[in-house]
Amino acid sequence: MIDTHCHLTLKDYPDINEVINKMGNNKIIVNGTNDEENKRVIELINKYPNVYGAIGIHPEEIDKITTNSFKYIEENINNSKIVAIGEIGLDYYYETDKEKQKEIFIKQIELANRYNKTVVIHSRDAIKDTIDILNKHKNKNIKLDIHCYAGSVESAKELIKLNSMFGIGGIVTFKNSKNIKQIVEEIDLKYLLLETDSPYLSPEPYRGKRNEPYNILYVAQKIAEIKSLPLEEVLKVTTENAIRQFDLD
Ligand code: NI
């Protein structure tokens, strides 16, 4: 199994060796959101054989951008263990500068186009603008991971045409998560990826506690239950999906 999205870059992991070793040979993709975390992503991928990385500037971090931010991404983008630009996108949940967010999002999509990298998308309350920008600016062949997808089945179908897969995390195990359960039910398993978004969004039975990559097992179990499939098949297919979407070896 592969945890396609987490933030082991954060200070929540004084026990990071144990957290990563618990995954054994299973792979982990850590995502950066700002300069400091992007540097930490590089440290982690250099240190742990089963850890891969995505680097980028998150829409809620754009105030921290420096002249070095994009330079650093570009300098490290050809590292063989950097498998994506992310997480990047749009977040309209808080009152922030939408135009600036769009500008930074587009700039990073153009980087992905230039270096032929997968993009990890964060989109909150902004799915229409996200799809519009991807339609306009993304090269057709560039693959997408729509992290923590929470939109409609219709938008999901539009996104599939744009070469997307959908990151399914702990929320699917929550009692009141009708929307995501419907996505899992209606969207073919070949478009689904497992993710934890650690340290956030722990699945049941650990809801409210610190999350970690190993907990994707509970997400996979829930997907198996919703789709009436054996757990083994969910693990196998989602792992193949992640290998394909991130060009992992
Ligand atoms: Ni995230």
Side-chain angles (χ1 to χ4, degrees):
M1 54 190 192
I2 300 176
D3 182 359
T4 59
H5 187 106
C6 63
H7 300 278
L8 300 187
T9 46
L10 298 176
K11 300 205 189 321
D12 304 61
Y13 297 97
D15 53 343
I16 189 141
N17 280 324
E18 287 137 70
V19 168
I20 290 175
N21 290 337
K22 195 168 165 188
M23 283 292 271
N25 289 325
N26 298 299
K27 293 178 167 69
I28 301 167
I29 300 174
V30 292
N31 277 245
T33 62
N34 58 36
D35 289 4
E36 194 188 334
E37 281 187 48
N38 289 336
K39 286 202 177 88
R40 182 74 179 135
V41 167
I42 301 297
E43 281 169 22
L44 292 173
I45 64 176
N46 285 338
K47 185 164 179 194
Y48 300 99
N50 62 336
V51 175
Y52 295 75
I55 45 177
I57 307 294
H58 188 285
E60 286 175 76
E61 301 291 320
I62 56 176
D63 290 343
K64 296 183 194 157
I65 285 177
T66 65
T67 47
N68 261 329
S69 300
F70 296 105
K71 205 174 143 227
Y72 188 80
I73 295 171
E74 225 172 331
E75 275 167 6
N76 288 283
I77 204 164
N78 282 325
N79 183 316
S80 62
K81 291 184 87 187
I82 290 296
V83 295
I85 294 194
E87 60 178 287
I88 68 171
L90 301 173
D91 194 320
Y92 295 170
Y93 184 77
Y94 301 102
E95 289 296 312
T96 46
D97 188 341
K98 291 184 184 179
E99 290 314 307
K100 180 93 191 279
Q101 284 193 32
K102 288 183 194 171
E103 179 197 320
I104 301 301
F105 183 31
I106 292 166
K107 203 167 167 180
Q108 294 180 93
I109 292 170
E110 285 165 353
L111 266 182
N113 288 338
R114 200 174 322 143
Y115 291 95
N116 195 25
K117 284 281 168 180
T118 297
V119 178
V120 181
I121 303 280
H122 170 105
S123 177
R124 181 156 61 157
D125 298 342
I127 199 69
K128 192 185 171 298
D129 282 1
T130 304
I131 292 175
D132 284 349
I133 285 175
L134 291 169
N135 264 318
K136 235 183 254 163
H137 296 276
K138 184 184 81 71
N139 281 359
K140 222 176 158 201
N141 64 309
I142 298 298
K143 293 174 276 197
L144 302 173
D145 165 10
I146 316 295
H147 141 65
C148 207
Y149 182 68
S152 65
V153 172
E154 279 119 60
S155 297
K157 286 178 180 163
E158 275 183 68
L159 285 161
I160 286 172
K161 288 186 204 144
L162 284 161
N163 230 344
S164 298
M165 290 192 190
F166 303 92
I168 305 297
I171 297 174
V172 75
T173 69
F174 300 172
K175 255 198 189 127
N176 53 357
S177 65
K178 262 199 191 140
N179 182 9
I180 290 167
K181 287 198 184 84
Q182 197 194 355
I183 292 291
V184 169
E185 219 174 288
E186 296 192 29
I187 301 296
D188 196 295
L189 187 60
K190 71 181 180 200
Y191 299 114
L192 303 185
L193 298 167
L194 302 180
E195 67 168 45
T196 60
D197 207 19
S198 296
Y200 314 111
L201 299 172
S202 273
E204 294 289 0
Y206 300 112
R207 190 172 180 179
K209 301 214 170 71
R210 184 192 73 170
N211 203 359
E212 60 171 71
Y214 194 79
N215 289 342
I216 48 168
L217 192 54
Y218 299 97
V219 174
Q221 270 165 358
K222 193 68 187 183
I223 294 174
E225 185 191 312
I226 293 169
K227 285 186 148 333
S228 302
L229 292 169
L231 174 62
E232 293 312 310
E233 189 179 340
V234 171
L235 292 174
K236 180 175 170 279
V237 175
T238 54
T239 299
E240 288 165 358
N241 293 346
I243 289 171
R244 210 164 56 244
Q245 207 69 349
F246 292 101
D247 298 308
L248 297 170
D249 36 59

